[in-house]
Amino acid sequence: MALARRGGIGRYYNVNGWLFVAPALGLIALFMVYPILWSLWMSFQSGRGMMLKFAGFANIVRLWNDPVFIKALTNTLTYFVVQVPIMILLALILASLLNNPKLVGRGFFRTAIFLPCVTSLVAYSVLFKGMFAHDGIVNATLEAIGIIGEPIPWLTHPFWAKVLVILAITWRWTGYNMIFYLAAMQNIDKSIYEVARIDGVPAWARFTHITVPLLKPVILFTTVISTIGTIQLFDEVYNLTEGKGGPSNATLTLSLYIYNLTFRFMPNFGYAATVSYVIVVLVALLACVQFFAARERDR
Amino acid sequence: MNVTTYLPRFASMALAGASLLAVTAAEAKEITVWCWDPNFNVAIMKEAGARYTKTHPDVTFNIVDFAKADVEQKLQTGLSSGTADALPDIVLIEDYGAQKYLQSFPGAFAPLSGTVDYSGFAPYKVELMTLEGQVYGMPFDSGVTGLYYRKDYLEQAGFKPEDMQGITWDRFIEIGKQVEAKTGKKMMGLDPTDAGLVRIIMQSAGQWYFDKDGKPNITGNAALKASLETINKIMAANIYKPAAGWSDWVGTFTSGDVASVITGVWITGTVKAQPDQSGKWGVAPIPALSIDGATHASNLGGSSWYVLESSAEKAEAIDFLNEVYAKDVDFYQTILQDRGAVGSLLAARGGAAYGEADAFFGGEKVWQNFSDWLAKVPSVNYGVFTNEADTAVTAQLPALTQGTPVDEVLKAIDAEVSAQIQ
């Protein structure tokens, strides 16, 4: 009886308990809650540098009339729509290939494909920049084997620059997702596959009807993580384009735009805060949609 | 050897040495400077520091070399955060950005009026760093532009140095086509994400992205229109080697792949950094547009030194800048000959170096020329939003080359600039 009471409402009045969690709560309040609330307050202010003034909803109105913001939003969503499905599918296929116990050099391939995501963001961006330069190794190779006649303007043409960014993030993050799938695949009971094989189910159908449905929670998890990562994309674009999001703003992302608003242009911290809240809303919405979609299929 | 007699002497010497070290350590001041371009600003600041240390042995210099964008972004981050510890004592700021920093971070920079005699400097330079009657910063170099060209390549294509004097942009493109036909070399390097060339051409005809009052001046700007058309012609004629970013662009001419460079005089140090190309370069005035107000003189960049108000070595930093950059005429001769730095201290123009021939440029009196062109640079108001306007221009360049009419491109640039400058 006494135990039950302490487990109920009485627990909230236990001073010792509060003392134990107080340091952690204090730090969370100082380093998480305060900046979030302060940036929300900032998003209602506008002005140059440190000369901020309350501006009401002016920043939100400005979003709609800002062609650069619209461009950054479109680019970010393009990366998301094109890159995330490619990467997830690629990671699934690679994982199921590397899950085959008969494959020689499995460990080597797994390591090789996972390795990109432990390399430094800056180092690999700089490397990509060199490889995809006008007279870089990629153009030289493609020309040598006769695929292209003229060098591809990877970094100077709006379309190809976007392709390059997608290539770069796919290269880096596919292995990361693959590891999740590999881990999940090891947990699928082998007898299910055995039964399917005895019943004459072909390999492709085994993949789509057994592996993928059983991996659904993991696929949902990786999709949400990849969504967040892509919506916040910054480093690759910054390093590939010298911080400009060029050519022609074709690779500009929301995060890079926030950076430019804060550190490259006339600093406007208020408007930059508003744009960052767009990212918050976007990520929350997309994550909700994905959870909703996954739940629907469960029924 | 009698150790006992030596020991006290040795000990006292060691003690004296230690106390001497302690005294100098207490008095020694280190001035930290942030700047960019190892062949130019960094090398010049090292020279200036060495001169000052000779007369003030207690002051040493820590000159930090970043890329220009990194200096600007680190400075802006430091100023916004309000923590002065991360900031240097002296920082180099490009003239386009001076008013932006002064206006958006009031109190961040130390006013130098009262200490420095600004009457000795080019007035346009002083105006750039004046806010509400106070003058901040030490005027440094001018960005007067020139057309650097490879005499050897042009000779192979059948052109003499006289053919490069006083030409129009159309003629320049013509020459470029012939150079490529005869030598296989492109005429110039071009980075489509950098609007520097647009700015050079526009200012040469006396206009800027903004009018005298700082209001956008885009759709009715004949000079901007003509400069976009010129870039379009250069792209269409395919006389350029594409570059992605600054170092790539520098590589186009240091590697000998292109026949000319049109930019500010501060590039001289980088051009001269290739000793094997000595004697192969010439300098001519930049090509002119065929519109009203067109000249052969323009400006790109140019920068000045600013002292941070929060600096612990503020007094020493100001004194150093004043001693060397505002008074030492001999210093300006050295940096002119070594680095091609055309300073904005007027008295320095009378120095011997300005009249001398330069062997790297085949014995031409290039400095006299740059000095003459400097006097002809049309003055414009840079305003505080040059970065924004530049971004809008580079955003529209691909549309222009894909055949969008130039008036529509100007409208799009105007829309983007108007949305950005609130």
Side-chain angles (χ1 to χ4, degrees):
Chain A
M1 191 64 201
L3 262 174
R5 199 179 295 142
R6 279 180 64 190
I9 200 103
R11 198 171 60 173
Y12 292 100
Y13 296 102
N14 189 332
V15 178
N16 283 336
W18 280 109
L19 280 178
F20 272 114
V21 293
L25 281 180
L27 289 172
I28 289 169
L30 187 63
F31 291 108
M32 287 180 77
V33 182
Y34 167 74
I36 290 171
L37 292 178
W38 183 249
S39 64
L40 190 62
W41 165 239
M42 249 172 49
S43 71
F44 291 101
Q45 300 180 69
S46 184
R48 298 175 182 182
M50 308 308 275
M51 325 278 281
L52 286 175
K53 270 198 260 11
F54 185 74
F57 292 100
N59 285 331
I60 296 170
V61 175
R62 184 176 167 181
L63 285 178
W64 302 110
N65 302 318
D66 183 350
V68 185
F69 167 73
I70 306 285
K71 183 92 189 166
L73 184 66
T74 330
N75 289 341
T76 309
L77 292 177
T78 312
Y79 290 138
F80 165 66
V81 170
V82 178
Q83 195 265 339
V84 173
I86 293 180
M87 178 174 64
I88 298 288
L89 201 66
L90 202 62
L92 261 175
I93 293 170
L94 284 171
S96 69
L97 288 178
L98 293 180
N99 198 34
N100 183 354
K102 280 179 238 155
L103 187 75
V104 184
R106 244 172 7 140
F108 170 77
F109 287 118
R110 282 180 187 180
T111 317
I113 294 168
F114 181 69
L115 217 52
C117 83
V118 291
T119 54
S120 141
L121 275 163
V122 177
Y124 104 85
S125 299
V126 171
L127 193 71
F128 262 65
K129 208 177 159 208
M131 283 167 58
F132 287 85
H134 189 71
D135 39 17
I137 188 168
V138 173
N139 275 336
T141 313
L142 290 177
E143 268 181 297
I145 54 177
I147 291 179
I148 52 169
E150 284 252 309
I152 295 177
W154 291 106
L155 288 154
T156 48
H157 187 281
F159 173 76
W160 290 111
K162 225 175 251 163
V163 172
L164 177 58
V165 172
I166 289 175
L167 274 177
I169 41 183
T170 308
W171 179 82
R172 183 172 160 105
W173 293 110
T174 303
Y176 181 75
N177 290 311
M178 181 194 77
I179 290 294
F180 285 106
Y181 298 145
L182 264 178
M185 280 175 189
Q186 322 254 298
N187 281 331
I188 300 178
D189 197 336
K190 286 194 179 61
S191 56
I192 303 176
Y193 289 105
E194 257 166 56
V195 171
R197 220 173 283 130
I198 292 163
D199 284 352
V201 180
W204 179 249
R206 286 203 298 275
F207 176 70
T208 52
H209 286 99
I210 300 172
T211 315
V212 173
L214 285 172
L215 287 184
K216 193 183 273 175
V218 185
I219 294 176
L220 175 67
F221 169 74
T222 52
T223 317
V224 172
I225 292 287
S226 306
T227 305
I228 295 171
T230 313
I231 301 292
Q232 296 181 337
L233 187 66
F234 175 82
D235 308 67
E236 284 85 354
V237 182
Y238 181 88
N239 288 304
L240 285 170
T241 66
E242 304 204 338
K244 288 179 179 168
S248 178
N249 288 341
T251 56
L252 188 75
T253 62
L254 287 173
S255 297
L256 189 55
Y257 187 44
I258 294 168
Y259 183 83
N260 283 344
L261 284 172
T262 327
F263 301 118
R264 212 156 74 79
F265 296 159
M266 171 64 87
N268 189 335
F269 302 117
Y271 187 51
T274 311
V275 180
S276 28
Y277 269 90
V278 172
I279 295 188
V280 173
V281 172
L282 210 60
V283 167
L285 272 179
L286 287 170
C288 280
V289 168
Q290 284 159 1
F291 275 115
F292 185 72
R295 199 178 303 151
E296 277 285 287
R297 272 187 238 116
D298 272 348
R299 283 178 197 156
Chain B
M1 195 166 114
N2 190 346
V3 178
T4 47
T5 53
Y6 281 97
L7 202 59
R9 272 171 75 186
F10 180 73
S12 65
M13 265 168 72
L15 199 68
S19 58
L20 196 69
L21 267 176
V23 168
T24 46
E27 279 187 351
K29 302 271 187 183
E30 189 183 67
I31 296 178
T32 304
V33 184
W34 284 0
C35 51
W36 61 87
D37 197 346
N39 284 318
F40 193 76
N41 300 308
V42 177
I44 287 166
M45 205 39 159
K46 280 185 181 154
E47 166 72 22
R51 278 172 185 255
Y52 192 73
T53 306
K54 251 182 227 163
T55 47
H56 302 75
D58 51 325
V59 179
T60 56
F61 290 86
N62 171 27
I63 294 152
V64 192
D65 174 16
F66 295 114
K68 190 182 97 197
D70 294 344
V71 173
E72 290 171 350
Q73 288 159 12
K74 274 178 84 78
L75 178 68
Q76 204 155 322
T77 318
L79 291 173
S80 334
S81 74
T83 48
D85 295 356
L87 292 170
D89 303 300
I90 297 174
V91 66
L92 187 67
I93 296 179
E94 197 176 29
D95 290 345
Y96 302 124
Q99 284 293 327
K100 173 178 90 171
Y101 290 111
L102 292 177
Q103 289 182 21
S104 48
F105 299 103
F109 299 97
L112 306 190
S113 31
T115 316
V116 177
D117 176 16
Y118 283 105
S119 64
F121 289 96
Y124 88 96
K125 204 70 182 174
V126 180
E127 203 176 304
L128 285 167
M129 52 180 67
T130 306
L131 182 69
E132 287 160 8
Q134 292 276 31
V135 191
Y136 302 81
M138 172 59 68
F140 175 42
D141 72 313
S142 138
V144 58
T145 52
L147 160 59
Y148 297 74
Y149 60 93
R150 287 288 294 260
K151 284 187 203 160
D152 48 343
Y153 293 167
L154 281 151
E155 201 175 311
Q156 279 179 47
F159 296 99
K160 292 189 197 69
E162 296 89 88
D163 297 325
M164 302 303 288
Q165 303 293 321
I167 55 176
T168 62
W169 277 101
D170 290 334
R171 177 73 183 141
F172 176 81
I173 293 166
E174 244 352 275
I175 294 173
K177 285 183 192 164
Q178 295 194 35
V179 166
E180 195 182 356
K182 300 267 172 57
T183 66
K185 304 278 182 189
K186 296 283 185 189
M187 189 62 172
M188 60 192 293
L190 188 63
D191 175 2
T193 65
D194 186 336
L197 192 59
V198 176
R199 271 183 265 136
I200 295 178
I201 305 177
M202 174 168 55
Q203 193 176 353
S204 76
Q207 298 276 323
W208 196 249
Y209 298 130
F210 305 97
D211 61 17
K212 296 280 172 214
D213 306 320
K215 296 264 178 341
N217 171 28
I218 312 269
T219 45
N221 186 334
L224 177 57
K225 184 176 173 181
S227 89
L228 288 175
E229 282 167 344
T230 305
I231 305 276
N232 197 20
K233 282 184 206 164
I234 292 173
M235 297 251 196
N238 198 18
I239 55 162
Y240 69 100
K241 185 180 181 197
W246 178 260
S247 48
D248 212 20
W249 177 79
V250 168
T252 60
F253 60 88
T254 51
S255 63
D257 281 351
V258 299
S260 75
V261 183
I262 294 173
T263 193
V265 61
W266 34 257
I267 204 72
T268 309
T270 310
V271 173
K272 283 171 121 180
Q274 310 292 323
D276 55 318
Q277 294 177 9
S278 179
K280 291 180 180 166
W281 286 90
V283 187
I286 63 164
L289 292 170
S290 314
I291 63 166
D292 283 347
T295 67
H296 289 283
S298 189
N299 182 74
L300 180 67
S303 43
S304 299
W305 304 102
Y306 291 79
V307 177
L308 274 297
E309 182 67 41
S310 57
S311 156
E313 270 80 42
K314 194 171 83 176
E316 286 79 7
I318 294 174
D319 185 59
F320 154 66
L321 289 177
N322 197 27
E323 287 295 313
V324 180
Y325 284 90
K327 293 177 183 164
D328 193 341
V329 171
D330 182 52
F331 164 70
Y332 280 99
Q333 310 305 310
T334 309
I335 61 171
L336 177 75
Q337 279 175 327
D338 292 354
R339 305 289 160 192
V342 176
S344 49
L345 183 69
L346 299 171
R349 307 268 160 84
Y354 277 83
E356 264 176 38
D358 192 308
F360 192 91
F361 296 103
E364 282 179 47
K365 290 188 176 176
V366 288
W367 308 120
Q368 196 57 58
N369 288 341
F370 275 116
S371 191
D372 293 346
W373 301 333
L374 179 60
K376 294 177 189 153
V377 175
S379 121
V380 294
N381 174 21
Y382 289 142
V384 291
F385 293 111
T386 292
N387 266 341
E388 283 85 341
D390 244 23
T391 310
V393 167
T394 49
Q396 294 302 327
L397 279 182
L400 185 72
T401 54
Q402 280 154 25
T404 313
V406 70
D407 284 311
E408 268 177 46
V409 168
L410 285 171
K411 263 183 216 155
I413 295 172
D414 189 52
E416 187 172 326
V417 171
S418 307
Q420 293 278 301
I421 59 168
Q422 299 189 13

